[in-house]
Amino acid sequence: MERLNATLEPLDLIARADEIRGLVFLAIRHGDADAPQDDWSHPLVRKQRLNLEQTLLVAILRQYFIAYEQDAGTGAGEAMVAVDELIPQMQVYLGESGSEARERTRILQLLDQLKGHGLVSAPDSHERVAIRPMIAHLANPENLTALLYELKARVAAESSDHGESAL
C-alpha cells in the first residue's frame, strides 16, 4: 500500500484498503482535512451525484448489508435482498403511488442506476440483488453525518434568506 500510495501521490489520489471485506479503492487525497467535501474537483475523477430516491435506497440497502454482516460476520460474501422487500421500505418514505407495477418499475430503475455505481448486482432470476461491500464505505456514518450537516446548513441559509428562523 505504501508503494501504491507513493505512485498515486502525484495524481492527488490515495488507495484505501478494507482488508476485512477484501476491497481496495481510490479516494481523493485532501490536503486540508477541514475543507468542505463538496468543493473538491479532480481531473481524473468524475463526480456523480445521487438523487433523493437513489440516496434513500442506498441508505436502505446499507441497513440490509449491515444486518447481513451482523448475522454472517463482517466480510462474509455478498448480502442479497429481494426487490419485493425494498418496495415497502421505499413506500414508508415516498408514499404509495397506487400501482404495484409502478412501484416495482421505480425500484428496478433505481437498482439499475445503482448497479452503474457498482453498489448492487443486476436482479437474478428470483428478483434478488446482491449488495456489494463498497456500500459500507459510500454510506458510512461520516458521510451521512456530513450530508445531514450540509442539509441543515442549506435549510438555515434558505430560512435566513426568507427572514424565517433557522432549525
Side-chain angles (χ1 to χ4, degrees):
M1 286 297 287
E2 289 178 25
R3 289 190 332 189
L4 177 59
N5 282 328
T7 303
L8 293 170
E9 187 173 7
L11 302 173
D12 288 332
L13 297 172
I14 188 168
R16 306 235 172 154
D18 181 344
E19 294 175 10
I20 295 171
R21 294 181 181 99
L23 297 173
V24 174
F25 56 95
L26 296 179
I28 305 294
R29 184 185 302 266
H30 292 286
D32 182 6
D34 295 330
Q37 293 291 323
D38 201 40
D39 293 338
W40 66 267
S41 67
H42 194 280
L44 299 175
V45 178
R46 181 176 47 151
K47 185 185 254 187
Q48 294 182 320
R49 296 189 184 275
L50 300 177
N51 64 32
L52 175 65
E53 290 182 353
Q54 291 168 332
T55 304
L56 177 59
L57 186 54
V58 166
I60 291 168
L61 289 168
R62 186 177 190 280
Q63 284 180 322
Y64 278 97
F65 182 79
I66 296 301
Y68 172 79
E69 279 197 333
Q70 287 175 344
D71 290 342
T74 303
E78 291 182 335
M80 299 290 286
V81 63
V83 172
D84 289 337
E85 290 181 50
L86 297 173
I87 293 171
Q89 294 287 329
M90 292 290 285
Q91 287 175 336
V92 167
Y93 299 101
L94 301 176
E96 294 183 35
S97 68
S99 166
E100 265 187 59
R102 194 175 311 146
E103 297 290 338
R104 176 174 297 284
T105 301
R106 176 169 63 175
I107 291 292
L108 290 171
Q109 287 174 341
L110 289 169
L111 288 168
D112 189 55
Q113 293 163 357
L114 294 181
K115 184 181 84 167
H117 293 284
L119 298 177
V120 295
S121 68
D124 65 10
S125 60
H126 302 289
E127 288 206 327
R128 295 177 306 167
V129 294
I131 305 168
R132 301 220 168 98
M134 190 63 192
I135 201 163
H137 295 280
L138 178 68
N140 63 27
E142 294 83 20
N143 287 346
L144 294 174
T145 301
L147 181 64
L148 181 60
Y149 175 76
E150 179 67 23
L151 178 62
K152 285 182 178 181
R154 287 184 184 189
V155 168
E158 286 179 16
S159 295
S160 66
D161 288 345
H162 298 305
E164 300 169 4
S165 63
L167 288 178

